[in-house]
């Protein structure tokens, strides 16, 4: 009855008996890499046992649970819960009842969505949701003011909500292996300008005078195709070598439209005004806000 730590990992267990309920001092239970998950895997009455108050660390990773057992959501003293490498398809909204939870590991499952209720865990510091099938992050997650580490790598994310910038204490954000990162890294591949383009840019930006009689007709036509970089702080031009970028701009004060525009280089990124010069678009102020986010807020962003 004085037992505090019990490790039965890797023993082939298919169920845990009622003897577990007679351990009032147990604060750490490790039962990973077993065959738990079927009916009767956990003893009945777990939520009423003294264990429900004493248990602080529970690791059931590497088992066969297809859902989070409801009894676990009654273990109000839990600080660390690991259910990675199971067969979970969802996170129950009642996860919000685990108010003392500081560490939650749900990686390596089949989870497709994050319930907004997850944001109601005031003490959560480490959240691991990697290797799932999550497609979006609820903006409510920004309410996890204690969060220090967020692991989302190897999911199906194509964007992050702007509210994530409010996680001011976040030190580590892992995003590798998501479409948003794959696309981001791919878009970084920028073919350097040809010597002809570099020469043409120099002529245009420095206003080097020339006459049609000075150059072959093909080069005169080439120089006439120069496009101005939309970055108002750049003033450069481009011909064939440019960088595509999507910018959301306000339209009639009601809609935000994704518009494609082209920059002369990857470094040339700044607020881009909409077609209407009189429109003080939200997109411009958004970009300025994004640029002003303090670098120390995210000390470690893992992209690859």
């Amino acid at each position: 009855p004085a037992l505090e730590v019990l490790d039965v990992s890797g023993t082939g267990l298919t169920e845990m008996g009622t003897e577990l309920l007679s351990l009032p001092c147990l604060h750490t239970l490790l039962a990973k890499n077993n065959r738990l998950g079927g009916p009767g895997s956990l003893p009945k009455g777990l939520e009423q046992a003294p264990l429900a108050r004493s248990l602080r660390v529970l690791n059931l990773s590497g088992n066969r649970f297809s859902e989070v057992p409801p009894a676990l959501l009654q273990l109000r003293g839990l600080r660390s819960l690991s259910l990675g490498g199971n067969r979970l398809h969802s996170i129950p909204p009642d996860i919000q009842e685990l108010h003392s939870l500081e560490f939650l590991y749900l990686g390596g499952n089949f989870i497709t969505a994050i319930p907004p209720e997850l944001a109601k865990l005031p003490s959560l510091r480490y959240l691991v949701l990697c290797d799932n099938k999550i497609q979006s992050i609820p903006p409510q997650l920004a309410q996890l003011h204690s969060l220090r580490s967020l692991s989302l790598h190897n999911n199906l994310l194509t964007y992050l909500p702007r509210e994530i910038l409010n996680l001011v204490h976040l030190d580590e954000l892992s995003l590798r292996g998501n479409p948003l990162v794959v696309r981001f890294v791919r878009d970084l591949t920028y073919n350097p300008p040809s010597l002809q383009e570099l020469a043409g840019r120099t002529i245009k930006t420095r206003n080097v005078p020339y006459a049609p009689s000075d150059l072959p007709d093909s080069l005169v036509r080439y120089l006439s195709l120069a496009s101005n970089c939309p970055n108002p702080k750049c003033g450069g031009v481009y011909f064939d070598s440019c960088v595509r970028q999507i910018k959301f701009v306000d339209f009639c004060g009601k809609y935000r439209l994704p518009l494609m525009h082209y920059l002369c280089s990857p470094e040339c990124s700044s607020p881009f005004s909409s077609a209407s010069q009189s429109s003080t678009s939200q997109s411009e102020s958004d970009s300025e806000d994004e640029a002003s986010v303090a670098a120390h807020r995210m000390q470690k962003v893992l992209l690859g």
Side-chain angles (χ1 to χ4, degrees), residues 9-277:
S9 301
T11 55
L13 282 178
T14 58
E15 63 180 49
M16 303 185 76
T18 55
E19 296 84 358
L20 194 65
L21 306 180
S22 303
L23 301 175
C25 299
L26 193 69
H27 60 72
T28 300
L29 175 57
L30 309 177
K32 57 186 179 180
N33 301 327
N34 283 299
R35 300 175 184 174
L36 301 169
S41 292
L42 301 179
K44 293 182 179 180
L46 182 63
E47 59 273 21
Q48 284 88 31
L51 184 67
R53 295 184 295 274
S54 65
L55 201 60
R56 297 290 181 266
V57 178
L58 178 59
N59 191 329
L60 294 173
S61 292
N63 280 283
R64 301 176 179 180
F65 290 101
S66 58
E67 62 179 16
V68 178
L72 300 187
L73 303 176
Q74 303 300 319
L75 304 179
R76 302 300 171 82
L78 271 186
R79 295 178 183 171
S80 175
L81 175 60
S82 298
L83 279 164
N86 277 275
R87 302 170 181 177
L88 305 179
H89 285 80
S90 63
I91 304 173
D94 287 345
I95 194 79
Q96 64 182 319
E97 302 298 332
L98 300 179
H99 296 297
S100 300
L101 205 61
E102 299 178 5
F103 178 91
L104 179 58
Y105 190 103
L106 298 174
N109 283 286
F110 303 94
I111 298 169
T112 57
I114 302 174
E117 290 81 2
L118 189 64
K120 296 181 180 180
L121 298 176
S123 303
L124 195 63
R125 295 167 59 89
Y126 301 92
L127 177 58
V128 182
L129 296 169
C130 60
D131 299 291
N132 279 286
K133 299 181 181 297
I134 299 169
Q135 300 182 36
S136 63
I137 304 298
Q140 290 87 347
L141 220 61
Q143 300 170 18
L144 293 172
H145 300 301
S146 299
L147 201 63
R148 298 292 188 274
S149 177
L150 177 57
S151 296
L152 294 167
H153 51 273
N154 298 331
N155 276 284
L156 301 175
L157 298 172
T158 56
Y159 70 96
L160 293 178
R162 181 176 173 78
E163 288 80 2
I164 202 169
L165 297 175
N166 296 326
L167 295 174
V168 295
H169 297 296
L170 195 65
D171 294 328
E172 182 173 296
L173 174 62
S174 180
L175 294 171
R176 67 183 184 275
N178 280 281
L180 75 88
V181 176
V182 174
R183 186 175 64 245
F184 171 75
V185 174
R186 183 191 65 209
D187 290 347
L188 283 181
T189 304
Y190 171 64
N191 295 324
S194 64
L195 291 178
Q196 176 174 287
E197 171 132 356
L198 290 174
R201 289 187 179 194
T202 301
I203 290 174
K204 286 294 186 177
T205 56
R206 298 188 179 182
N207 294 318
V208 177
Y210 66 92
S213 59
D214 298 328
L215 300 171
D217 291 341
S218 59
L219 291 183
V220 173
R221 286 194 300 270
Y222 181 79
L223 290 172
S224 68
L225 298 176
S227 299
N228 294 322
C229 182
N231 183 350
K233 299 180 181 178
C234 173
V237 299
Y238 62 86
F239 294 88
D240 303 314
S241 183
C242 59
V243 178
R244 294 187 303 173
Q245 188 178 70
I246 298 293
K247 191 64 184 178
F248 284 84
V249 300
D250 281 358
F251 180 70
C252 297
K254 295 182 179 180
Y255 309 101
R256 302 197 70 195
L257 303 178
L259 300 181
M260 176 76 76
H261 72 289
Y262 300 87
L263 302 172
C264 62
S265 77
E267 293 79 21
C268 193
S269 179
S270 79
F272 173 59
S273 61
S274 62
S276 173
Q277 294 294 332

